[in-house]
């Protein structure tokens, strides 16, 4: 989920149709097509006039070889140990007919050959430092490896809340310089920034070379809303984003390094104990996975995760309202990721029963929000809900 304080001028220009968005960005950032080396074929593709063959990015054979499961670029020793069981998230080609069934059923899947971010697979710290521009980036700093999200706008609701990380703004060159000076005992850093109009021309060209034909087809096929943002994540090895859920669909595209992703479906809501909606850590689990407090959170004993490790070129579909715990592998070097966040499909005119788990989560969120507004004080929501439920809905009827 995006952290507070991000720049709102996004590269994605989500209010414009993608063909115009792509052509406009070329015009904005390039004095001429010749200067950027953009061919007529590229503009034809940007306008949606290219053939199906033009949808594929050059170098696909090398990509397929790199993404094959024959050689794994990580080991089990790089994974943290947890107490709960997990199942494997399916990994398959984007052309596998089972993919549609999984996405349609709001289930996660790793797609190994979409070429979604192929032009960005060359990105590393040096390349980004040279080409990303002189804009300011949001960098989060924590004393431990855990980066718990929080909403600065909600901090006034809980006067005693103390965030476990802080946000600093720095240029990318300053971020790289900082990384070069720290050792394992220092604070940890995590750059999280929406790609915006401050980036350099080469990054724009890479961005425009993403496989938007495939992405747009997915958006249309599943009736998702607009692409809201592309979040760039650059993290240190071992960084952990604790379990949380988002209210958007996400294609999680891995560019450099390896990340372990553990997902939990919405029907395990009662096992993961999210903070209240009005809390700064809304949508985050209160449970410390490395040291769970079973007295406070007894249902966590019943949680079962869905797990995968994604590497360069992999795209993980994280369905809306699915919990996800993300960690850069231990001793795995810097990781780079780009998220593609889409609004969910509009509410259907005819509601089908029984409701799905994610629909129930949305209802619970709306009830909490409504009560907070009606009562005028978020702290009164809990006592009112307990008064409503105790002795009425927490035991069998006679």
């Amino acid at each position: 989920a995006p952290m507070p304080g991000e720049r709102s001028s996004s590269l994605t220009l989500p209010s414009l149709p993608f063909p115009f968005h792509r052509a406009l960005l070329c015009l904005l950032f390039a004095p001429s097509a010749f200067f950027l080396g953009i061919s007529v074929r590229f503009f034809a593709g940007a306008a949606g006039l290219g053939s199906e063959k033009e949808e594929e990015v050059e170098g696909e054979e090398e990509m397929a070889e790199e993404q094959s499961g024959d050689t794994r670029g990580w080991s089990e020793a790089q994974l943290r140990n947890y107490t709960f069981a997990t199942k494997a998230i399916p990994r398959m080609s984007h052309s596998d007919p089972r993919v549609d069934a999984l996405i349609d059923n709001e289930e996660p899947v790793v797609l190994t050959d979409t070429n979604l971010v192929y032009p960005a697979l060359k990105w590393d710290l040096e390349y980004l430092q040279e080409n990303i521009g002189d804009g300011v980036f949001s960098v989060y700093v924590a004393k431990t490896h855990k980066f718990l999200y929080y909403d600065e706008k909600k901090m006034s609701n809980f006067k005693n809340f103390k965030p476990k990380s802080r946000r600093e703004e720095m240029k990318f060159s300053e971020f790289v310089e900082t990384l070069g000076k720290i050792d394992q005992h220092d604070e940890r850093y995590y750059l999280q920034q929406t790609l915006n109009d401050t980036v350099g021309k080469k990054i724009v060209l890479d961005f425009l070379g993403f496989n938007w034909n495939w992405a747009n087809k997915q958006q249309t096929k599943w009736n998702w809303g607009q692409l809201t943002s592309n979040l760039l994540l650059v993290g240190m090895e071992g960084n952990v984003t604790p379990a949380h859920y988002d209210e958007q669909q996400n294609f999680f595209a891995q560019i450099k390094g390896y990340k372990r992703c553990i997902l939990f479906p919405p029907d395990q809501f009662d096992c993961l104990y999210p903070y209240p909606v009005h809390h700064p850590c809304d949508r985050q689990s209160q449970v410390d996975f490395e040291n769970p407090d079973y007295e406070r959170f007894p249902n966590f004993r019943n949680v079962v995760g869905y797990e995968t490790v994604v590497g360069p070129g992999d795209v993980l579909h994280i369905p809306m309202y699915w919990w996800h715990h993300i960690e850069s592998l231990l001793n795995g070097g810097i990781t780079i990721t780009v998220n593609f966040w889409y609004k969910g499909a509009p509410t259907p005119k005819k509601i089908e029963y029984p409701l799905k788990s994610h629909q129930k989560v949305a209802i619970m969120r709306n009830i909490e929000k409504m009560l907070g507004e009606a009562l005028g004080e978020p702290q009164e929501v809990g006592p009112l809900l307990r008064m409503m439920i105790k002795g009425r809905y927490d035991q069998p009827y006679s």
Side-chain angles (χ1 to χ4, degrees), residues 121-182:
L121 294 185
K122 61 180 174 288
W123 290 5
D124 56 20
L125 290 181
E126 182 179 359
Y127 182 88
L128 291 176
Q129 184 173 355
E130 283 183 17
N131 298 293
I132 207 163
D134 292 325
V136 174
F137 293 82
S138 292
V139 176
Y140 294 86
V141 186
K143 293 182 179 180
T144 73
H145 56 277
K146 299 174 188 174
F147 288 79
L148 184 68
Y149 293 146
Y150 63 95
D151 186 342
E152 292 177 0
K153 297 186 294 293
K154 294 183 178 181
M155 289 176 65
S156 60
N157 296 334
F158 291 79
K159 304 296 185 184
N160 296 324
F161 174 74
K162 295 181 180 180
K164 296 180 180 179
S165 64
R166 68 181 187 275
R167 176 170 56 87
E168 296 184 0
E169 295 197 345
M170 60 182 73
K171 294 183 178 181
F172 199 89
S173 58
E174 296 172 330
F175 171 65
V176 174
E177 183 180 356
T178 301
L179 292 182
K181 292 179 179 178
I182 62 178

Side-chain angles (χ1 to χ4, degrees), residues 113-371:
D113 57 358
T114 64
N115 286 322
L116 178 58
V117 292
Y118 176 76
L121 294 185
K122 61 180 174 288
W123 290 5
D124 56 20
L125 290 181
E126 182 179 359
Y127 182 88
L128 291 176
Q129 184 173 355
E130 283 183 17
N131 298 293
I132 207 163
D134 292 325
V136 174
F137 293 82
S138 292
V139 176
Y140 294 86
V141 186
K143 293 182 179 180
T144 73
H145 56 277
K146 299 174 188 174
F147 288 79
L148 184 68
Y149 293 146
Y150 63 95
D151 186 342
E152 292 177 0
K153 297 186 294 293
K154 294 183 178 181
M155 289 176 65
S156 60
N157 296 334
F158 291 79
K159 304 296 185 184
N160 296 324
F161 174 74
K162 295 181 180 180
K164 296 180 180 179
S165 64
R166 68 181 187 275
R167 176 170 56 87
E168 296 184 0
E169 295 197 345
M170 60 182 73
K171 294 183 178 181
F172 199 89
S173 58
E174 296 172 330
F175 171 65
V176 174
E177 183 180 356
T178 301
L179 292 182
K181 292 179 179 178
I182 62 178
D183 61 35
Q184 61 181 351
H185 303 295
D186 288 331
E187 293 179 314
R188 303 183 69 84
Y189 292 77
Y190 206 161
L191 184 148
Q192 304 183 19
Q193 176 70 52
T194 300
L195 288 172
N196 57 55
D197 56 9
T198 68
V199 301
K201 293 182 177 67
K202 284 190 176 181
I203 301 300
V204 172
L205 186 57
D206 292 340
F207 180 82
L208 297 179
F210 288 176
N211 192 353
W212 293 113
N213 284 315
W214 178 83
N216 292 346
K217 286 179 180 178
Q218 298 304 305
Q219 180 185 14
T220 301
K221 181 186 295 185
W222 308 116
N223 196 29
W224 292 347
Q226 68 184 22
L227 177 70
T228 60
S229 65
N230 292 102
L231 187 69
L232 173 67
L233 303 161
V234 183
M236 298 171 59
E237 59 187 21
N239 280 3
V240 172
T241 301
H244 64 286
Y245 66 88
D246 298 316
E247 295 183 274
Q248 299 188 79
Q249 303 284 355
N250 185 4
F251 281 134
F252 183 92
Q254 189 62 13
I255 290 173
K256 180 176 177 57
Y258 292 84
K259 283 186 172 178
R260 182 192 197 184
C261 307
I262 307 176
L263 276 59
F264 307 89
D267 63 11
Q268 295 194 34
F269 185 93
D270 64 335
C271 298
L272 289 161
Y273 300 90
Y275 286 89
V277 164
H278 298 95
H279 192 279
C281 294
D282 173 31
R283 298 181 292 103
Q284 323 303 315
S285 174
Q286 298 179 70
V287 182
D288 180 352
F289 280 20
E290 295 174 38
N291 186 29
D293 184 341
Y294 293 114
E295 289 190 10
R296 289 184 62 199
F297 311 117
N299 288 347
F300 187 69
R301 294 182 185 276
N302 303 322
V303 79
V304 177
Y306 292 76
E307 178 176 1
T308 190
V309 173
V310 292
D314 288 339
V315 175
L316 169 63
H317 171 232
I318 303 179
M320 191 162 61
Y321 291 109
W322 273 66
W323 297 81
H324 42 290
H325 165 103
I326 312 292
E327 57 187 59
S328 298
L329 298 197
L330 298 167
N331 303 311
I334 293 292
T335 57
I336 301 176
T337 312
V338 171
N339 281 332
F340 292 70
W341 265 313
Y342 293 87
K343 288 187 175 180
T347 303
K349 294 181 180 179
K350 183 179 180 181
I351 305 297
E352 295 184 3
Y353 295 93
L355 295 178
K356 296 181 179 178
S357 298
H358 71 272
Q359 293 173 309
K360 294 178 181 178
V361 173
I363 289 172
M364 287 188 285
R365 290 187 60 82
N366 288 332
I367 289 173
E368 284 187 68
K369 291 177 182 178
M370 180 185 66
L371 288 177

Side-chain angles (χ1 to χ4, degrees), residues 24-129:
L24 177 59
L25 282 173
C26 290
L27 296 173
L28 283 174
F29 289 94
S32 67
F34 176 79
F35 178 78
L36 276 179
I38 302 173
S39 66
V40 174
R41 175 177 174 273
F42 175 79
F43 275 106
L49 302 176
S51 67
E52 289 299 317
K53 283 187 178 181
E54 290 172 350
E55 179 178 327
E56 302 302 327
V57 182
E58 292 182 7
E60 185 174 3
E61 292 181 2
E62 289 83 357
M63 274 285 296
E65 182 178 341
E66 179 180 348
Q67 293 170 343
S68 70
D70 297 333
T71 56
R72 207 168 63 171
W74 56 276
S75 71
E76 299 287 339
Q78 294 175 273
L79 307 181
R80 297 181 184 276
N81 294 318
Y82 301 114
T83 59
F84 51 84
T86 61
K87 303 175 182 179
I89 295 175
R91 288 178 58 89
M92 55 188 66
S93 166
H94 75 284
S95 60
D96 191 307
R98 294 172 294 174
V99 169
D100 282 359
L102 289 166
I103 296 179
D104 187 43
N105 200 38
E106 297 283 340
E107 295 183 37
V109 60
V110 178
L111 306 174
T112 60
D113 57 358
T114 64
N115 286 322
L116 178 58
V117 292
Y118 176 76
L121 294 185
K122 61 180 174 288
W123 290 5
D124 56 20
L125 290 181
E126 182 179 359
Y127 182 88
L128 291 176
Q129 184 173 355

